[in-house]
Amino acid sequence: MATLRFKALEVAQARPAAVVRAPSSKVSDYYGTNVFGTEAMRSTLTPDTFKKLTRAVESGEKIEADVADAVATAMKAWAISKGITHYTHWFQPLTGATAEKHDAFFDVVGDGKVLEKFKGTALVQQEPDASSFPSGGIRNTFEARGYTAWDPTSPAFVFGNTLCIPTVFVSYTGEALDYKAPLLKALAAVDQAATAVCQYFDKNVSRVIATLGAEQEYFLVDKALFNARPDLVMTGRTVFGHAPAKGQQLEDHYFGSIPPRAQAFMVDFEIEALKLGIPIRTRHNEVAPSQFECAPTFEELNLAIDHNLLLMDLMDKVADKHGLKVLFHEKPFAGINGSGKHNNWSLSTNTGVNLLSPSVRPKENLQFLTFFINIIKAVHDYADLLRASIASAGNEHRLGANEAPPAIVSVFIGSQLTGLLEELERSGNIRTDKGENVYLKLGVDKIPPILLDNTDRNRTSPFAFTGNKFEFRAVGGSANSASNMIVLNTIVAHQLTEFKAEVDRQIEKGEKEDVALANVLREYVKSAKNVLFEGNGYSEEWVEEARRRGLSNIVSTPEALDVYVAEKSVKLFEKYSILTHRELEARHEIMLENYVKKIQIESRVMGDLVLNHVVPTAIKYQSVLIGNLEGMKNVGIQGKHTKHTVDTIETMAGYIGTLLESVENMTEARKKANNTADTRQRAVLYNTEVKGYFDPIRYCVDKLELLVDDEDWPLVKYRELLLMR
Ligand code: ADP
Ligand code: MG
């Protein structure tokens, strides 16, 4: 029965030793060679077209048809010179992955002749047959009229044998059906609001860009072993599996030496990533066995997200060549750390200043403090929306588990900055007319020295300040970070807008600018400080403490998602034209549906595995024990000598009975949920009723795994999956 498992183990063990490929040349020789970026454009476009394009991209203005035509022609020639035959509009549907529809460059021009063509119109807009992408009811399926539109801020690239053009995906009526469209709007909103606030400090600031460095955690497993686990294949996670004798207790994997097989894979995908202009920089082991992390240098946020999605795709393809499978799932193994995507985020000006980096000049430090405190206030006021932005079926398995950030959104800033905010809060009204040094009084003259020794990083906080950026750590490993970044940038845009209005009101009343800034900031510290938390975010005490503070702890995904359509959120998104009420309703619906489908598939896989794999195996082994018992009896051995065997048979019977009953009940619960017309209600039923059976079922299966003869057990075991040579 266990032949599949043993065959897979044989294949895995027979893999030749890994060869770490030495790059044949310097990174600078091949970096970005697969990207139609600034350099490629400058060298292929006329200076005039290049200038027009750059100007349009920077200002966000419409690109003229003749410019689009010229770019398309140059892009096509560049791609063809690389042996590329097809192009695709590359987009980010709400399913979380990326999508593409390939078209050939050639056109039939009559007389059986073809010609390589690619017009500006084909570059700018496409109408993929989009009927099977989720639209939450916005687009009539039979109409299938969604279209993709070129995002000239993210350069085209070649991947495989295809030219990929990053695009937004919208419905025929203009509603966003993807992540990129609202993200670009959120980035424009935060640019506008932050630029306005920067005017208090530096009139030369005309643009603020958000930056993102996304650290990506993942697991590597052997492809043959992966394929022998139906649950991994279908859900990306193991629904069963007893913890191995040695897991992550020793914490010896973290920053340990990277196993050669993993390293060979890393070197390969890094070379490909660098060719695509993805500035991948660090790699190391993570806490769990077979878990790793990679991180690029930060970039402009929209580009960083495209790069992260492309990287995931790339890793998947390169892993295949190495006989490996990459797991991005938030919680592929029970009892072992899950995977997240740490979103390092900041704002920086066109004048080259990182707004979250304290400087040596007091005035700039007041600017730092302004952004720092406004961000804390935004997170405080919209914590639930941030929580919603990371809600998914996968992340639900991870958040709140004791080795992952909790579902409570809090901010860690370190003891020194906490002290500084306390000082600001106590400072009272500053009267500069008495000759007081406002910066000294606020304590902002001495930020740099104190930050230098701010090394006590808190790894358990979902949102931590790490010296010159904030790091949002609760984003799921498989998620599109855009979901979280749309919310973060929107709430910060809103907060900065409110802040500026308040400061201007005080200035109009005759207050001095610095004092007005300090006054408003002081009030913010007072009203937002209960979101600050320095302790262990994974502890039980924090859950209690957060409850006392009135911070929310939304554990279930359907409940978390409701925040998207709450009045406060709708107002916010509409005010900054990020998403309309209709779009939010559609998104809410899509995410709930997605949740239902994921839990449904997991539940079905569990049922199948129990009925077709686990129970038959258990019964077979039980029969062996019964046969043994009968044989013993025949030779006269009974009583205390066979007690243990009898006990085992009985225990197994108990588990088998519970399993059969639970699977039947779970199937009934699924039927009941499936017959519920309302999506929200269906999602709730899947969350409470269907998912409620997962743990009890798993408990019995994992116990049986310990009892049944290893030779017979059909599923590849944790110790086998997690072993990386
Ligand atoms: P860690 O100790 O968390 O691994 P690193 O210094 O390696 O921290 O940085 C993690 C990520 O943060 C990297 O991707 C890095 O490029 C990014 N990062 C650094 N500065 C900024 C910034 N100003 N904005 C956004 N991301 C940044
Ligand atoms: Mg980090």
Side-chain angles (χ1 to χ4, degrees):
M1 181 150 196
T3 45
L4 181 60
R5 172 173 155 227
F6 288 110
K7 263 192 191 149
L9 283 169
E10 241 170 65
V11 173
Q13 270 146 20
R15 299 219 191 265
V19 184
V20 180
R21 177 155 71 116
S24 54
S25 50
K26 302 197 298 291
V27 171
S28 53
D29 291 338
Y30 58 85
Y31 186 76
T33 45
N34 286 343
V35 183
F36 190 65
T38 314
E39 275 324 301
M41 282 196 252
R42 204 198 308 275
S43 61
T44 51
L45 297 171
T46 65
D48 183 48
T49 312
F50 180 73
K51 210 160 73 199
K52 277 188 188 158
L53 178 70
T54 349
R55 203 179 318 127
V57 167
E58 269 168 20
S59 64
E61 276 161 28
K62 197 171 176 295
I63 290 164
E64 299 301 328
D66 60 327
V67 174
D69 269 335
V71 175
T73 305
M75 214 185 254
K76 181 192 72 182
W78 174 80
I80 289 175
S81 77
K82 290 183 155 298
I84 303 302
T85 51
H86 286 65
Y87 69 94
T88 181
H89 273 199
W90 185 78
F91 58 103
Q92 302 168 22
L94 295 167
T95 43
T98 53
E100 35 197 89
K101 177 199 168 211
H102 297 198
D103 268 312
F105 278 126
F106 76 81
D107 254 346
V108 180
V109 288
D111 286 347
K113 285 203 186 105
V114 296
L115 202 64
E116 268 75 23
K117 271 191 187 167
F118 184 50
K119 287 223 193 80
T121 45
L123 165 66
V124 172
Q125 194 169 313
Q126 286 278 304
E127 209 173 306
D129 174 18
S131 51
S132 50
F133 290 109
S135 68
I138 277 182
R139 179 169 35 74
N140 271 333
T141 314
F142 61 87
E143 251 191 314
R145 291 175 87 175
Y147 64 88
T148 49
W150 181 32
D151 167 18
T153 63
S154 181
F157 54 90
V158 297
F159 190 46
N161 61 356
T162 307
L163 169 71
C164 299
I165 300 156
T167 57
V168 296
F169 180 37
V170 289
S171 77
Y172 180 59
T173 42
E175 278 118 345
L177 297 173
D178 71 347
Y179 286 108
K180 195 191 258 277
L183 178 71
L184 290 172
K185 291 175 181 172
L187 294 175
V190 84
D191 171 12
Q192 199 183 350
T195 303
V197 169
C198 282
Q199 303 309 303
Y200 293 128
F201 309 96
D202 182 359
K203 300 270 184 253
N204 294 319
V205 174
S206 59
R207 197 167 168 229
V208 171
I209 62 158
T211 51
L212 172 69
E215 299 163 66
Q216 175 75 53
E217 293 176 331
Y218 61 96
F219 280 87
L220 280 179
V221 296
D222 187 275
K223 193 164 91 178
L225 303 183
F226 171 89
N227 284 328
R229 292 272 323 209
D231 47 357
L232 271 182
V233 172
M234 277 180 270
T235 71
R237 77 177 185 99
T238 54
V239 294
F240 305 134
H242 199 278
K246 176 179 179 291
Q248 65 188 55
Q249 318 78 328
L250 299 176
E251 301 203 339
D252 50 356
H253 189 254
Y254 193 53
F255 282 127
S257 73
I258 299 172
R261 250 191 108 183
Q263 193 172 349
F265 156 72
M266 289 174 185
V267 170
D268 264 7
F269 89 69
E270 284 168 2
I271 292 172
E272 293 310 310
L274 291 164
K275 284 186 196 163
L276 284 162
I278 304 171
I280 194 92
R281 220 174 42 98
T282 52
R283 53 166 108 117
H284 63 79
N285 288 354
E286 263 302 325
V287 181
S290 289
Q291 193 189 21
F292 306 94
E293 182 193 286
C294 63
T297 299
F298 70 94
E299 299 176 278
E300 185 279 320
L301 203 155
N302 173 45
L303 184 62
I305 286 187
D306 283 1
H307 278 167
N308 175 253
L309 294 169
L310 184 55
L311 184 68
M312 288 166 75
D313 201 353
L314 179 67
M315 287 166 75
D316 194 54
K317 292 197 164 84
V318 174
D320 195 66
K321 290 189 195 142
H322 286 253
L324 291 167
K325 189 79 197 168
V326 187
L327 308 179
F328 292 112
H329 193 284
E330 285 72 17
K331 192 74 180 169
F333 304 100
I336 290 170
N337 275 11
S339 295
K341 202 173 285 206
H342 296 178
N343 282 221
N344 295 273
W345 170 88
S346 189
L347 294 170
S348 86
T349 67
N350 61 312
T351 55
V353 173
N354 174 359
L355 293 168
L356 288 177
S357 182
S359 96
V360 284
R361 283 181 291 276
K363 177 110 184 164
E364 277 178 18
N365 273 332
L366 186 55
Q367 172 170 287
F368 158 74
L369 216 52
T370 296
F371 282 91
F372 183 68
I373 293 171
N374 270 287
I375 290 162
I376 293 171
K377 168 92 169 129
V379 173
H380 171 270
D381 291 0
Y382 287 94
D384 288 354
L385 198 52
L386 281 170
R387 167 66 185 95
S389 77
I390 51 159
S392 71
N395 224 8
E396 192 176 73
H397 292 300
R398 181 175 83 110
L399 296 181
N402 63 351
E403 74 303 301
I408 308 160
V409 175
S410 65
V411 185
F412 167 85
I413 60 170
S415 53
Q416 289 91 345
L417 283 165
T418 303
L420 186 74
L421 295 196
E422 280 166 2
E423 205 171 312
L424 173 64
E425 195 187 337
R426 279 194 305 265
S427 66
N429 268 347
I430 295 155
R431 306 193 56 90
T432 42
D433 50 8
K434 278 191 196 153
E436 275 184 306
N437 178 336
V438 62
Y439 303 109
L440 192 68
K441 187 82 198 200
L442 292 173
V444 296
D445 60 314
K446 53 177 188 239
I447 299 176
I450 60 168
L451 270 191
L452 285 179
D453 51 279
N454 182 18
T455 46
D456 56 329
R457 299 236 188 133
N458 183 326
R459 302 223 156 249
T460 64
S461 174
F463 195 65
F465 184 71
T466 49
N468 59 358
K469 61 191 186 287
F470 274 103
E471 182 171 344
F472 200 103
R473 301 210 186 93
V475 177
S478 71
N480 183 334
S481 289
S483 175
N484 178 245
M485 286 293 131
I486 291 166
V487 170
L488 183 61
N489 287 284
T490 303
I491 63 176
V492 170
H494 173 62
Q495 181 49 52
L496 290 171
T497 308
E498 299 276 295
F499 172 75
K500 177 154 194 312
E502 182 54 32
V503 171
D504 286 351
R505 258 195 298 278
Q506 294 205 12
I507 294 172
E508 258 169 50
K509 282 193 201 145
E511 196 60 273
K512 284 183 91 170
E513 190 178 283
D514 287 342
V515 178
L517 287 167
N519 285 345
V520 181
L521 292 178
R522 184 182 313 107
E523 287 313 308
Y524 284 177
V525 171
K526 279 184 198 156
S527 64
K529 69 177 174 192
N530 73 345
V531 78
L532 299 176
F533 179 64
E534 303 290 300
N536 179 4
Y538 296 180
S539 68
E540 240 340 280
E541 297 84 74
W542 170 227
V543 176
E544 276 308 309
E545 162 80 14
R547 204 194 325 269
R548 271 195 301 278
R549 292 191 191 185
L551 301 179
S552 44
N553 181 8
I554 310 174
V555 179
S556 105
T557 300
E559 225 179 290
L561 291 173
D562 284 348
V563 179
Y564 270 117
V565 287
E567 203 187 328
K568 185 177 164 191
S569 316
V570 175
K571 250 174 135 169
L572 170 81
F573 284 120
E574 291 210 318
K575 180 170 178 205
Y576 298 91
S577 306
I578 314 287
L579 288 162
T580 64
H581 192 177
R582 208 165 111 88
E583 287 171 325
L584 286 163
E585 292 281 359
R587 257 154 221 266
H588 183 228
E589 177 92 8
I590 290 166
M591 288 184 282
L592 288 171
E593 256 171 29
N594 205 26
Y595 179 80
V596 165
K597 282 183 194 150
K598 290 265 164 79
I599 304 296
Q600 186 178 52
I601 294 168
E602 289 188 0
S603 161
R604 283 184 182 151
V605 169
M606 276 185 146
D608 289 354
L609 286 178
V610 165
L611 299 181
N612 305 325
H613 290 65
V614 176
V615 166
T617 307
I619 287 176
K620 204 173 129 197
Y621 183 62
Q622 204 183 27
S623 306
V624 171
L625 293 182
I626 290 166
N628 171 270
L629 208 57
E630 278 167 359
M632 296 277 261
K633 206 160 126 192
N634 287 345
V635 294
I637 301 172
Q638 284 184 64
K640 67 174 186 186
H641 298 296
T642 52
K643 184 180 177 305
H644 185 71
T645 311
V646 173
D647 285 350
T648 308
I649 293 168
E650 209 177 331
T651 308
M652 288 182 74
Y655 291 138
I656 291 168
T658 309
L659 277 178
L660 293 173
E661 197 184 316
S662 303
V663 167
E664 195 178 315
N665 290 342
M666 181 169 72
T667 310
E668 282 310 310
R670 240 174 25 230
K671 277 189 195 150
K672 185 176 141 201
N674 293 345
N675 286 330
T676 309
D678 179 61
T679 314
R680 163 108 196 347
Q681 189 49 32
R682 195 159 64 244
V684 169
L685 286 176
Y686 263 97
N687 177 250
T688 53
E689 309 268 317
V690 179
K691 209 179 158 195
Y693 289 101
F694 284 16
D695 282 347
I697 290 178
R698 176 170 197 140
Y699 178 83
C700 296
V701 173
D702 291 357
K703 285 288 180 198
L704 284 171
E705 183 186 323
L706 289 180
L707 292 173
V708 171
D709 184 353
D710 184 63
E711 288 287 319
D712 294 333
W713 192 252
L715 298 169
V716 180
K717 295 187 171 180
Y718 268 27
R719 62 161 193 268
E720 295 156 346
L721 279 170
L722 291 166
L723 185 79
M724 179 63 53
R725 281 179 289 148

